[in-house]
Amino acid sequence: MALEPAESPHRASALGRLGAGRSIVASLIEADGSHKHAMLVRLMAPQVPVRDIADAIHALCMLHGRQPGIIDHAFARNSQPAAQGWLEVALEGFAVERAFLAKLASAAGPLPSTPGQAESEAAVVGQRHALDMLAQSDRTGCAIGAAVALVIDWSAMRQVLNVAAHRFGIEPPGYELPLPAETETIVVETAENPAVERAMAFGVQQVLAQHRGLWDLLEARASARDRH
């Protein structure tokens, strides 16, 4: 499902400076991104139960729907001028995604009845705390890496949101987040030295690990509902 961003003058001016670039991030996302997880594939299927979609929306809202989040923290602590324009665009774009999530969560209604609900909520709260700590790291490059991972991996998550919007009769907003190629260029420009590059890679890996954990949890919850 193609996601075309709604271009704006601010977005164009902030990203117009970017050229082509390549980094380790692309390999990390390709290997471990949300698009590879079986649960995301399941959620994209036409016959997927609405309860599974609703569960995913509520979980994503709990993990990324609150403010401040990863990008907010990275923006507040940024010390790398090359990333400033990208962060501004990402911050504004994710505000749109956060509002979209909230609208979908309202339309989805209550969480589907699932065994182990309290444990599931505690697990997502723990993931949220881990991401907040990561995005507030004093290690130069770590928070930017976390923000980069969220922005690139969100393109897969947005497809789930679009499926939910279709099921709930909601028109999805324009996609305002930086595109992967633009984000790749920022990674190249901000990797000032090997230490910063390693810190960025660490931030990327940790966010992807938390996302995999979320999809694993949603998959287990769907299986538990199927058995009852």
Side-chain angles (χ1 to χ4, degrees), residues 118-202:
E119 293 83 355
S120 295
E121 289 186 10
V124 179
V125 169
Q127 289 183 315
R128 168 82 189 194
H129 178 70
L131 291 176
D132 283 344
M133 295 297 291
L134 185 70
Q136 296 177 78
S137 171
D138 291 328
R139 186 181 175 189
T140 301
C142 186
I144 295 294
V148 161
L150 175 58
V151 167
I152 296 181
D153 208 34
W154 194 260
S155 62
M157 296 181 173
R158 176 51 123 85
Q159 295 183 55
V160 174
L161 269 60
N162 288 347
V163 168
H166 176 73
R167 289 288 191 98
F168 302 147
I170 295 172
E171 182 68 25
Y175 193 71
E176 298 277 0
L177 285 171
L179 299 177
E182 299 163 337
T183 302
E184 276 286 294
T185 302
I186 281 299
V187 173
V188 172
E189 292 184 355
T190 54
E192 303 163 355
N193 55 59
V196 173
E197 186 176 31
R198 286 193 298 271
M200 292 177 71
F202 177 79

Side-chain angles (χ1 to χ4, degrees), residues 105-124:
S106 177
L111 276 166
S113 178
T114 309
Q117 182 60 43
E119 293 83 355
S120 295
E121 289 186 10
V124 179

Side-chain angles (χ1 to χ4, degrees), residues 42-157:
R42 169 176 171 146
L43 290 169
M44 298 299 297
Q47 69 275 18
V48 64
V50 172
R51 64 178 184 269
D52 290 353
I53 294 176
D55 202 31
I57 293 299
H58 283 295
L60 285 170
C61 198
M62 186 181 298
L63 188 63
H64 289 304
R66 299 177 186 177
Q67 197 173 12
I70 290 176
I71 300 172
D72 304 270
H73 289 309
F75 179 79
R77 303 173 72 87
N78 181 48
S79 61
Q80 297 175 277
Q84 189 66 21
W86 180 89
L87 281 168
E88 290 173 1
V89 174
L91 194 67
E92 292 183 9
F94 206 77
V96 174
E97 299 303 303
R98 190 180 289 121
F100 186 26
L101 257 180
K103 191 172 183 179
L104 289 172
S106 177
L111 276 166
S113 178
T114 309
Q117 182 60 43
E119 293 83 355
S120 295
E121 289 186 10
V124 179
V125 169
Q127 289 183 315
R128 168 82 189 194
H129 178 70
L131 291 176
D132 283 344
M133 295 297 291
L134 185 70
Q136 296 177 78
S137 171
D138 291 328
R139 186 181 175 189
T140 301
C142 186
I144 295 294
V148 161
L150 175 58
V151 167
I152 296 181
D153 208 34
W154 194 260
S155 62
M157 296 181 173

